[in-house]
Amino acid sequence: MKAIVVTDEAAGTAGMTLVDRPAPEPAINDVVVQVHASGFVPTELTWPSTWTDRLGRDRTPSVPGHELAGVVSALGYGTTGLSVGQRVFGLTDWSRDGTLAEYVAVEARNLAPLPGDVDFTVGASLPISGLTAWQGLFEHGRLRAGQSVLVHGAAGAVGSMVTQLAHEFGAYVIGTGRAADRQRALDFGAQEFVDLENDVLEDVGGIDLVFDVIGGDIGKRSAGLIRAGGSLVSVVGPPDVRPADALTIDFVVTSDRAQLGEIVQRVRDGRLLTNIGKVADLDDAVAALNPTERATGKTIIRVRS
């Protein structure tokens, strides 16, 4: 099968190569999925799990990409809940070969059925962004209607999902980003927008929940904005500065079939808009994942037309 592999952490996305390699075999409770579309998060190439297995052993050349939509082509021993020929989407294990390939082996529990009226490209755009937003807001942030939410990167792949879900559940949403992102963030449901290059972030006042996908100086400054009893939710590691009287959570997203179902249903009925930028074929994936201009929206690799 064709697959994108990486071998050199220092090279980043520039070290990606398209190769031929054996198709995977399903282990116990696995399925093999014929991948139709794959998502990719550039920060994957800084994660230890991309380069080593759970015992710390080198596992290169490894296949990156952990979001997929496709069709089940084989079942492992003992696998239940899915069937050969079924359309699925989901989030694969961080420490195993990923989805920038024609086939991938994945635990069945990490996949959810993909309705027939949802395109594979759309399905592949949802798992990391949608699950991160859902878990950060509702499991970790415990969002309640009427609260204020500050969403950093509100026009990005994750931030746009956070903005829409928070708005749907009755929050007052303030988005942040670059000046060029203002209208997109407002279109996704933010009631206000802070241009991080020209506006004063501290002018937003007391916030119940900050959802941080940026970190660094912005993360530090955000800690001082949170009301007593509020929450700072981060997906970029433990915050350097913690708010005095608020909860601080940093988390790694996990796959959840029920939550994937909630997310895709919202896409089907129009409550949740996808944020897809460039779509490229697998043969052109290396170039697409090494853009010369700032990407807007999520890049999706179409593995099979």
Side-chain angles (χ1 to χ4, degrees), residues 20 73 102 105 108 110 125 132 174 178 239 245 258 268 287 298-299:
D20 285 313
S73 62
E102 292 182 304
N110 290 337
S125 75
T132 298
I174 303 170
R178 303 184 187 192
D245 299 307
R268 296 178 76 196
K298 190 171 192 68
T299 299

Side-chain angles (χ1 to χ4, degrees), residues 37-56:
S38 169
F40 172 73
V41 179
T43 54
E44 285 181 30
L45 300 190
T46 66
W47 302 346
S49 57
T50 298
W51 308 102
T52 59
D53 65 17
R54 287 188 171 87
L55 297 177

Side-chain angles (χ1 to χ4, degrees), residues 23-290:
E25 296 291 333
I28 294 172
N29 296 322
D30 274 358
V31 298
V32 171
V33 178
Q34 183 186 53
V35 181
H36 283 243
S38 169
F40 172 73
V41 179
T43 54
E44 285 181 30
L45 300 190
T46 66
W47 302 346
S49 57
T50 298
W51 308 102
T52 59
D53 65 17
R54 287 188 171 87
L55 297 177
R57 299 171 301 197
D58 176 58
R59 69 178 194 88
T60 59
S62 58
V63 179
H66 293 283
E67 298 172 283
L68 84 155
V71 175
V72 175
S73 62
L75 304 178
Y77 179 79
T79 300
T80 59
L82 296 174
S83 57
V84 172
Q86 186 171 5
R87 300 171 95 250
V88 293
F89 75 119
L91 180 61
T92 69
D93 191 289
W94 307 124
S95 297
R96 297 173 65 178
D97 279 340
T99 61
L100 289 173
E102 292 182 304
Y103 294 88
V104 64
V106 54
E107 284 188 79
R109 63 177 181 165
N110 290 337
L111 301 172
L114 181 68
D117 58 354
V118 178
D119 185 79
F120 288 115
T121 301
V122 171
S125 75
L126 298 174
I128 287 181
S129 301
L131 290 171
T132 298
W134 190 279
Q135 291 167 20
L137 287 172
F138 306 130
E139 289 187 3
H140 303 296
R142 300 187 180 183
L143 179 67
R144 300 189 303 276
Q147 290 186 318
S148 56
V149 180
L150 181 68
V151 183
H152 288 312
V158 173
S160 60
M161 292 286 180
V162 176
T163 297
Q164 292 178 84
L165 288 172
H167 180 83
E168 178 193 343
F169 280 79
Y172 185 86
V173 183
I174 303 170
T176 80
R178 303 184 187 192
D181 297 330
R182 179 184 299 274
Q183 191 56 53
R184 283 170 60 80
L186 297 175
D187 290 344
F188 282 123
Q191 281 104 328
E192 294 182 36
F193 183 82
V194 177
D195 172 359
L196 292 175
E197 296 172 320
N198 299 298
D199 298 334
V200 179
L201 177 61
E202 287 72 14
D203 286 349
V204 302
I207 298 294
D208 293 307
L209 192 158
V210 172
F211 201 117
D212 185 18
V213 301
I214 297 176
D217 180 62
I218 295 299
K220 293 177 184 177
R221 292 164 61 192
S222 298
L225 306 176
I226 301 172
R227 294 190 180 111
S231 300
L232 172 58
V233 176
S234 169
V235 295
V236 288
D240 293 326
V241 176
R242 293 174 177 264
D245 299 307
L247 189 64
T248 304
I249 308 106
D250 67 283
F251 75 101
V252 176
V253 65
T254 58
S255 197
D256 185 294
R257 183 176 291 175
Q259 291 172 7
L260 287 169
E262 291 277 5
I263 292 161
V264 78
Q265 182 55 46
R266 283 168 168 75
V267 172
R268 296 178 76 196
D269 61 26
R271 284 178 289 167
L272 194 60
L273 302 176
T274 56
N275 190 2
I276 297 172
K278 187 170 186 175
V279 179
D281 293 334
L282 186 60
D283 287 343
D284 302 317
V286 173
L289 297 172
N290 285 275

